[in-house]
Amino acid sequence: MDKLDMLDRGSFVEQVINLIENISDNQVSTCFAINGTWGTGKSFVLDMIEEQLETIQSPETVREKYFIVRYNCWKYDYYEEPLIAIVSAIISEIEEKTKMFPDSQAKQEILGMFRAAGVSLLSIANTAFKAKTGLDIQSAYETVIKGEKEGAEKYEKDHEYDIYLGLNKVIGKLSNLIQEIANDYTVVIIVDELDRCIPEYAIKVLERLHHLTEEQRNIITIIAIDKSQLLASVKQLFGFDNPEKYLEKFISFEIKLDKGSVSEMITEKYADYIEMFDRNIFQFEDSVEECLQAIFKNIDVRTQEQIVNKVTVAHKLLYKEKKDYSFMCMELILAVMIFVYDDGAGFLKKSIDMHNLENVFSSSKRQSNPVFSTFFKEKFEQISFTTRRNFEDEPRSYLLPAKGNLYGAIIFTWYWMHEKNKNTIIQHVEGDSYDVISRNYEDLKKFVETLDMMR
């Protein structure tokens, strides 16, 4: 199944693609960062960028325009020298891109370079590498020796191959080989998972990439980072007062990736959870996608996934029969208040003020309301309540409209889950569409207690 664009990143990716196209047309080299905090979907954005670049053809040659190298730093951060992983990633791409290299000349030269680098660097820890990645570097090395002689013989013939080749010489040769590819294609090096690496390794990655691409042309390096975390690493390692100045040596500019807006694909993303509910139990015309988007607004994808996983577990523990969609929305509202806003079950002890709908979801623990409060305030104000108050000392009655309304069901359930006050009562007419959800609040109180224990 294809990955879903949960945070509606399409427009962001389109802007990045346009930027890359402009840089490519000028055949200049640069390194820029996509800066986002944990959970903002940086890896997903890089996937989208890679997929779109692979479809772009050069108008001059009518063939693929970009040679893309995807380098996952964290996969190899236990390994002292990141250059090995970079070389390996390049070789993998060349072996896969048979259309780009029909004569395989560039492939043989890089494999020859890999042999030189491998003898001096790869012998450090083949056993650990194989155990963690499943790749047998020694086997790959033997393949180079036995079957890929062309590139190796070229270096030996030129007296440039040395079994103890220094790191600088390896970098120089590799840089030249990358430039040979860049003469025909724009080379795009996509660097992911830098945040997860130990600080020393992360900095070494930046240094190696800089040395490989500096003073070359038509090479674009894209690095996904959490800048605040990377700056902290630089400061920790070097003690710089201005660590940002140090990063400028490697990264020309950055593009900010915010938390995004939840897309309508949310129902596809969490289809397994949603299948536990039946929309026909309580029917309404409101968009459930819009409601879920509002509930998860400004919440990163990873946190969303953690919330839905916990809600799914709690729901399966408590209920055997399917519930209605308003019950589902209530579960997610309650989960967000508990896990994101750290409310716990205590918020059930306050009462609802229908004259102050902005604060329906407020609690004494928080200084501000949840992000979704404004959205629900607007939806509650659109409900056609019939209000009645016979005597001054009676509570004002808010009667729900006969036709089913998602937000009417939510505020009705929310009201009955909380302490009652003397001024307000929310009701429905017995026998109308709200009958089926009129006892939801009882089950949801058990749900809150269960979630509260899972914090």
Side-chain angles (χ1 to χ4, degrees):
M1 182 178 174
D2 292 337
K3 291 184 177 180
L4 300 174
D5 183 10
M6 284 291 299
L7 295 180
D8 201 15
R9 296 299 192 188
S11 58
F12 177 88
V13 171
E14 184 180 355
Q15 292 174 354
V16 175
I17 293 294
N18 290 338
L19 172 66
I20 293 171
E21 284 275 74
N22 291 334
I23 296 171
S24 173
D25 289 344
N26 291 322
Q27 293 202 340
V28 297
S29 290
T30 191
C31 173
F32 68 88
I34 294 177
N35 175 25
T37 56
W38 182 89
T40 51
K42 297 188 290 294
S43 295
F44 180 77
V45 165
L46 294 181
D47 290 342
M48 293 180 70
I49 292 170
E50 182 177 1
E51 288 172 7
Q52 292 196 29
L53 288 177
E54 286 176 343
T55 66
I56 299 174
Q57 291 186 327
S58 167
E60 289 82 16
T61 62
V62 197
R63 63 183 182 185
E64 291 172 277
K65 184 176 181 180
Y66 296 98
F67 176 79
I68 305 164
V69 178
R70 184 68 173 265
Y71 171 38
N72 184 321
C73 306
W74 183 68
K75 187 176 180 180
Y76 305 101
D77 79 335
Y78 62 87
Y79 209 52
E80 186 176 350
E81 180 47 63
L83 180 61
I84 298 169
I86 297 171
V87 172
S88 180
I90 293 172
I91 289 174
S92 296
E93 289 300 320
I94 288 180
E95 288 176 340
E96 291 178 11
K97 307 287 194 210
T98 54
K99 291 182 180 180
M100 282 188 170
F101 306 100
D103 60 359
S104 72
Q105 182 62 37
K107 171 183 175 180
Q108 299 306 325
E109 291 189 2
I110 289 182
L111 286 174
M113 191 67 239
F114 181 56
R115 181 185 178 192
V119 172
S120 55
L121 300 171
L122 284 177
S123 59
I124 300 171
N126 177 57
T127 303
F129 188 88
K130 183 178 179 182
K132 293 206 174 189
T133 68
L135 300 176
D136 191 339
I137 295 300
Q138 185 62 35
S139 175
Y141 169 66
E142 290 170 0
T143 300
V144 171
I145 293 176
K146 293 177 182 178
E148 308 292 354
K149 294 181 179 178
E150 181 179 339
E153 288 173 356
K154 179 181 187 299
Y155 291 107
E156 291 172 358
K157 183 178 179 181
D158 295 343
H159 305 290
E160 292 178 343
Y161 173 74
D162 185 340
I163 196 167
Y164 301 111
L165 197 62
L167 183 60
N168 289 338
K169 202 167 186 179
V170 173
I171 292 174
K173 287 183 176 294
L174 183 58
S175 179
N176 291 336
L177 286 169
I178 295 173
Q179 183 58 62
E180 288 186 28
I181 299 173
N183 291 336
D184 298 319
Y185 306 93
T186 297
V187 174
V188 180
I189 303 173
I190 298 176
V191 183
D192 195 11
E193 302 287 12
L194 190 69
D195 302 341
R196 301 176 71 180
C197 297
I198 58 176
E200 294 85 350
Y201 191 85
I203 299 304
K204 192 178 286 188
V205 167
L206 293 177
E207 291 174 345
R208 294 292 186 266
L209 288 168
H210 175 70
H211 292 311
L212 282 176
T213 59
E214 67 176 335
E215 298 181 2
Q216 304 289 19
R217 61 179 183 80
N218 207 24
I219 302 172
I220 303 171
T221 306
I222 308 170
I223 306 177
I225 64 170
D226 180 341
K227 188 175 181 181
S228 60
Q229 186 174 327
L230 193 56
L231 289 172
S233 295
V234 172
K235 191 166 186 177
Q236 174 189 332
L237 288 173
F238 304 113
F240 295 148
D241 292 330
N242 186 7
E244 195 158 351
K245 194 71 177 175
Y246 177 78
L247 288 184
E248 289 175 1
K249 292 168 53 180
F250 311 114
I251 300 172
S252 300
F253 62 93
E254 67 177 78
I255 303 173
K256 181 70 175 176
L257 183 68
D258 60 21
K259 290 185 177 180
S261 57
V262 183
S263 75
E264 292 184 359
M265 291 182 179
I266 191 168
T267 52
E268 295 179 52
K269 170 76 171 179
Y270 302 124
D272 290 342
Y273 167 67
I274 294 172
E275 282 178 4
M276 296 191 297
F277 303 87
D278 185 351
R279 182 162 193 159
N280 293 321
I281 293 175
F282 173 69
Q283 297 185 1
F284 52 84
E285 295 180 355
D286 307 280
S287 167
V288 71
E289 290 85 359
E290 182 185 28
C291 184
L292 299 184
Q293 286 175 296
I295 294 169
F296 284 129
K297 185 177 181 181
N298 286 6
I299 300 176
D300 62 78
V301 172
R302 291 182 186 176
T303 303
Q304 288 180 32
E305 291 172 348
Q306 291 171 357
I307 290 172
V308 173
N309 287 340
K310 290 179 180 179
V311 167
T312 301
V313 170
H315 186 98
K316 287 181 176 179
L317 287 173
L318 295 171
Y319 317 117
K320 293 181 179 179
E321 297 180 354
K322 287 195 172 186
K323 299 290 187 179
D324 70 280
Y325 269 26
S326 76
F327 196 98
M328 174 182 69
C329 294
M330 284 298 306
E331 281 191 345
L332 295 174
I333 290 171
L334 292 165
V336 168
M337 294 190 70
I338 290 171
F339 296 124
V340 176
Y341 297 102
D342 194 30
D343 261 351
F347 65 84
L348 298 182
K349 295 180 180 179
K350 67 182 292 289
S351 58
I352 303 301
D353 183 0
M354 292 294 287
H355 296 289
N356 190 4
L357 293 174
E358 182 78 44
N359 294 322
V360 164
F361 296 105
S362 67
S363 78
S364 57
K365 287 188 67 174
R366 284 195 316 270
Q367 298 296 321
S368 60
N369 291 327
V371 173
F372 55 68
S373 292
T374 301
F375 171 85
F376 281 99
K377 171 182 177 291
E378 293 173 356
K379 292 297 183 181
F380 294 154
E381 289 175 342
Q382 294 170 14
I383 299 171
S384 300
F385 287 107
T386 300
T387 58
R388 185 176 57 195
R389 192 175 193 179
N390 294 328
F391 301 100
E392 192 66 31
D393 58 348
E394 275 188 348
R396 182 177 294 277
S397 171
Y398 291 82
L399 188 67
L400 288 164
K403 188 177 181 180
N405 179 288
L406 173 60
Y407 301 97
I410 288 173
I411 198 167
F412 175 86
T413 304
W414 192 255
Y415 168 80
W416 284 99
M417 287 182 71
H418 288 69
E419 297 286 340
K420 305 301 171 288
N421 63 40
K422 298 179 180 179
N423 301 317
T424 302
I425 183 169
I426 301 178
Q427 298 174 309
H428 71 96
V429 176
E430 187 174 348
D432 67 9
S433 58
Y434 292 92
D435 260 359
V436 292
I437 60 97
S438 62
R439 312 301 293 187
N440 277 358
Y441 69 92
E442 295 176 349
D443 282 339
L444 284 165
K445 282 186 176 181
K446 299 175 186 175
F447 179 79
V448 169
E449 292 169 358
T450 305
L451 286 191
D452 211 22
M453 291 187 291
M454 297 171 66
R455 285 199 296 164

